[in-house]
């Protein structure tokens, strides 16, 4: 093994570990790795930033811009209302909304599909009394499964197509991935819809302490005169009132001491957490009192839940520093968070991806703040855009898809869609570019030269040689089975684009060593990179789902392993049937 190969493998291993730890921003890790690769002599200076001009990155940017327009069109709000009026069963709702999510995800990135259909799913759940935990995870998984079907469904598909072009001069066609992806998506969606009602029974009426999987709500409330909490020790709060106290403030000072010796008094402020509905009951019993909002008597006053998206400017900020809300008179009254530790006061809590804010204020002020901060409201207001215009962006997008399917390069066809949307005033390109998920784009662009170095340094050939000692890759099915397994094993811990970039050169070496066509190997990479159902942190969709649905880590294992095993076996059969 040469110095370049060894240094590249060490660099990749270090980056994968840092990605999986999620303690550093992914764009920082990516740029550091990109510069380190040049310092190690893996590629010359004129190739450091070639990833930013890659057709893959350009296409992803274009799709994200188009998704911004489609998300505002709210085409599916009316469909949801008609669906709810039909009185469907729980299985029909779960499978129907999951199928819709999967279909949308065929034509846009996974997070965009999840963001468009999640508010629709939650409204259906509220209208039909379906627990949130039975809806959120299926929608997240369906978005991942739908991405298996088309060239633009996920960046991993674009990346392996680009690898095929570099190796053979011909790329995958738009729906080449559907031979494997469509049956796997259908099977996965209906398998999960069938199981999820048994896995997550209705806990909405259960006591707040009945299950630690319930979504945690953290609030800071004052103890009014006459409250039944007066005279209660903090240690008695969980069994008697279903809340877990974190801090007791008297005057301007914290009350320290053992929980069984700290007694609540009138006028104290309590920082506590509990289940979804427990604080509503305590407020009705006048046990806890929130500060009255100055606009609460105005007709436009409203209360909205919103989730912190991966691209949100709020990630890493503390509540006290959110001038984007405070300056508009919007109050943050509760927080559902994933952080295991709660320290200080409510205003000291730090936000992360998937946290849910409960906001109170004037409707327009909340809408402006959420749009500026890139947070997703979980209950959407009716669109002010005329219904006759809401179809136009979808028609234009369909034209771009048709052009790509007919053989035009995706980056060219979707550039035309972006241009027409801008000319028709559906898209402000300057604002749209500012609102893009730049950490993901930077990561993707930075990883492309590193992935190319896997091939140019001979590291892919060396790794393929090592793996061939364990698996007889001369038979294509064994090599494909190993590639698919490696992709599925890596993707729960790092994003799917990184998996595709790292494994695509190795898959090509497998095909070369066995003297086989590379198509099946590369589709195995793309499919395995998107079959991410076992952890909440491998893909942003699952991270968001964990916060919104109140799932535990083990819930993903319980729900995901049958889908993962079924998808692996079915994908392998379909690869052998259509591509070998």
């Amino acid at each position: 093994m040469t110095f370049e190969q060894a240094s590249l493998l060490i660099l990749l291993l270090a980056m994968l570990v840092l990605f999986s730890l999620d303690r550093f921003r992914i764009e920082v890790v990516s740029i550091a790795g990109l510069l380190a690769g040049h310092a190690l002599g893996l590629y010359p200076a004129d190739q450091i930033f070639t990833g930013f001009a890659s057709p893959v990155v350009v296409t992803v940017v274009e799709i994200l811009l188009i998704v911004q327009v489609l998300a505002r069109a709210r085409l599916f709000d009316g469909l949801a209302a008609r669906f709810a009026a039909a009185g469907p069963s729980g299985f029909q709702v779960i499978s129907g909304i999951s199928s819709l999510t999967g279909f949308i995800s065929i034509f846009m990135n996974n997070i965009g599909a999840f963001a468009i259909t999640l508010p629709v799913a939650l409204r259906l759940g509220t209208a039909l009394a379906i627990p949130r935990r039975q809806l959120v995870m299926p929608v997240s998984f369906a978005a991942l499964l739908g991405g298996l079907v088309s060239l633009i469904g996920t960046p991993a598909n674009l990346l392996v197509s680009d690898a095929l072009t570099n190796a053979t001069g011909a790329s995958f066609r738009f729906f080449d991935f559907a031979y494997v992806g469509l049956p796997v998506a259908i099977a996965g969606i209906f398998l999960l819809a069938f199981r999820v009602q048994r896995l997550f029974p209705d806990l909405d009426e259960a006591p707040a302490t009945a299950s630690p999987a319930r979504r945690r709500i953290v609030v800071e409330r004052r103890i009014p005169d006459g409250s039944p909490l007066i005279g209660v020790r903090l240690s008695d709060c969980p069994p008697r009132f279903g809340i877990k106290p974190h801090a007791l403030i008297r005057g301007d000072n914290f009350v320290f001491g053992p929980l069984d010796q700290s007694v609540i008094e009138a006028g104290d402020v309590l920082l506590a957490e509990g289940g979804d509905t427990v604080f509503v009951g305590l407020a009705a019993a006048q046990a806890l009192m929130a500060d009255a909002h100055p606009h609460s008597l105005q007709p436009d006053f409203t209360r909205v839940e919103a989730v912190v998206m991966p691209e949100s400017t709020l990630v890493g900020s503390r509540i006290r520093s959110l001038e984007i809300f405070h300056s508009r008179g919007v109050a943050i009254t509760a927080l559902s968070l994933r952080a295991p530790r709660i320290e200080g006061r409510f205003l000291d809590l730090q936000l992360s991806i998937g946290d849910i804010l409960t906001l109170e204020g004037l409707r327009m002020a909340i809408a402006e703040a959420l749009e500026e901060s890139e947070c997703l409201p979980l209950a959407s207001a009716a669109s002010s855009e005329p219904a006759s215009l809401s179809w136009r962006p979808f028609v234009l997008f369909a034209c771009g898809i048709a052009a790509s399917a007919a053989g035009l390069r995706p980056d060219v066809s979707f550039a035309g869609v972006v241009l027409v949307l801008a000319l028709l005033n559906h898209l402000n390109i300057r604002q749209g570019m500012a609102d893009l998920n730049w950490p993901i784009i930077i990561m993707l662009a930075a990883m492309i030269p590193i992935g190319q170095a896997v091939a140019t340094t001979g590291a892919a050939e060396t790794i393929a040689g090592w793996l061939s000692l364990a698996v007889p890759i001369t038979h294509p099915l064994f090599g494909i089975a190993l590639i698919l397994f490696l992709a599925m094993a890596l993707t729960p811990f790092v994003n799917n684009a990184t998996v595709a970039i790292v494994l695509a050169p190795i898959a090509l070496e497998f095909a070369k060593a066995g003297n086989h066509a590379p198509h099946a190997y590369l589709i195995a990479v793309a499919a395995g990179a998107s079959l991410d159902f076992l952890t909440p942190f491998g893909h942003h969709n699952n991270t968001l789902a964990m916060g919104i649905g109140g799932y535990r880590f083990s819930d993903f294992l319980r729900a995901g392993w049958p889908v993962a095993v079924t998808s692996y076996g079915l994908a392998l059969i379909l690869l052998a049937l259509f591509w070998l």
Side-chain angles (χ1 to χ4, degrees), residues 293 295 322-331 360-362 364-370 372-373:
H293 195 282
H295 302 303
L322 301 183
E323 285 301 315
I324 196 170
F325 294 108
H326 304 325
S327 62
R328 291 177 168 89
V330 176
E360 291 184 355
L362 298 182
M364 186 60 68
I366 292 177
E368 291 176 354
L370 292 180
E372 186 174 334
S373 62

Side-chain angles (χ1 to χ4, degrees), residues 23-320:
R23 293 186 179 178
F24 304 95
R25 296 184 66 91
I26 59 173
E27 68 271 26
V28 174
V29 175
S30 301
I31 293 175
L34 178 65
L35 296 177
H38 170 62
L40 292 170
L42 303 179
Y43 34 79
D46 60 357
Q47 293 183 14
I48 295 177
F49 299 110
T50 54
F52 289 90
S54 167
V56 173
V57 175
V58 173
T59 303
V60 170
V61 169
E62 293 164 351
I63 294 293
L64 291 175
L65 288 172
I66 295 169
V67 166
Q68 291 179 17
V69 179
L70 300 184
R72 292 195 298 268
R74 305 193 189 283
L75 175 67
F76 302 104
D77 288 8
L79 295 177
R82 287 193 290 271
F83 189 46
S89 66
F91 174 80
Q92 289 173 325
V93 173
I94 297 167
S95 58
I97 195 65
S98 298
S99 298
L100 176 63
T101 306
F103 175 77
I104 296 172
S105 187
I106 294 173
F107 306 108
M108 65 179 62
N109 69 311
N110 307 136
I111 295 178
F114 185 67
I116 287 175
T117 55
L118 178 63
V120 178
L122 295 179
R123 281 198 299 278
L124 283 172
T126 300
L128 300 170
I130 298 173
R132 181 177 290 190
R133 283 159 52 80
Q134 294 181 11
L135 283 168
V136 176
M137 187 182 291
V139 170
S140 174
F141 285 5
L144 301 180
L145 288 164
L148 296 170
V149 179
S150 73
L151 178 64
I152 62 171
T154 177
N157 294 0
L158 287 165
L159 288 165
V160 300
S161 181
D162 189 57
L164 181 66
T165 302
N166 294 334
T168 66
S171 63
F172 284 112
R173 293 173 298 177
F174 194 85
F175 285 114
D176 276 349
F177 297 89
Y179 297 106
V180 173
L182 185 59
V184 170
I186 293 172
I189 286 172
F190 283 96
L191 174 61
L192 190 60
F194 178 76
R195 284 177 47 84
V196 75
Q197 290 177 291
R198 298 180 181 179
L199 287 173
F200 308 120
D202 189 350
L203 297 176
D204 288 350
E205 302 303 323
T209 56
S211 172
R214 292 175 58 82
R215 188 158 65 93
R216 295 194 305 158
I217 303 293
V218 179
V219 303
E220 189 173 278
R221 297 287 188 267
R222 189 170 300 279
I223 308 298
D225 292 333
S227 168
L229 284 167
I230 295 174
V232 174
R233 292 175 297 184
L234 293 183
S235 58
D236 293 332
C237 286
R240 291 182 56 184
F241 297 95
I243 59 174
K244 178 181 178 182
H246 286 283
L248 184 65
I249 300 96
R250 186 167 296 151
D252 293 326
N253 302 312
F254 286 91
V255 176
F256 295 103
L259 295 182
D260 58 355
Q261 296 180 17
S262 300
V263 179
I264 299 173
E265 298 180 2
D268 287 351
V269 174
L270 183 66
L271 177 68
E273 70 172 277
D276 297 62
T277 59
V278 63
F279 291 109
V280 176
L282 290 173
Q286 298 184 338
L288 295 172
M289 181 179 67
D291 293 333
H293 195 282
H295 302 303
S296 59
L297 299 180
Q298 297 190 25
D300 209 27
F301 177 80
T302 188
R303 181 180 290 106
V304 173
E305 282 190 331
V307 63
V308 179
M309 298 294 284
E311 64 272 22
S312 174
T313 56
L314 306 187
V315 175
S317 299
R318 299 189 184 276
I319 292 177
R320 69 169 66 253

Side-chain angles (χ1 to χ4, degrees), residues 364-385:
M364 186 60 68
I366 292 177
E368 291 176 354
L370 292 180
E371 183 175 357
E372 186 174 334
S373 62
E374 287 294 299
C375 290
L376 174 68
L378 298 184
S380 303
S383 176
S384 59
E385 185 180 12

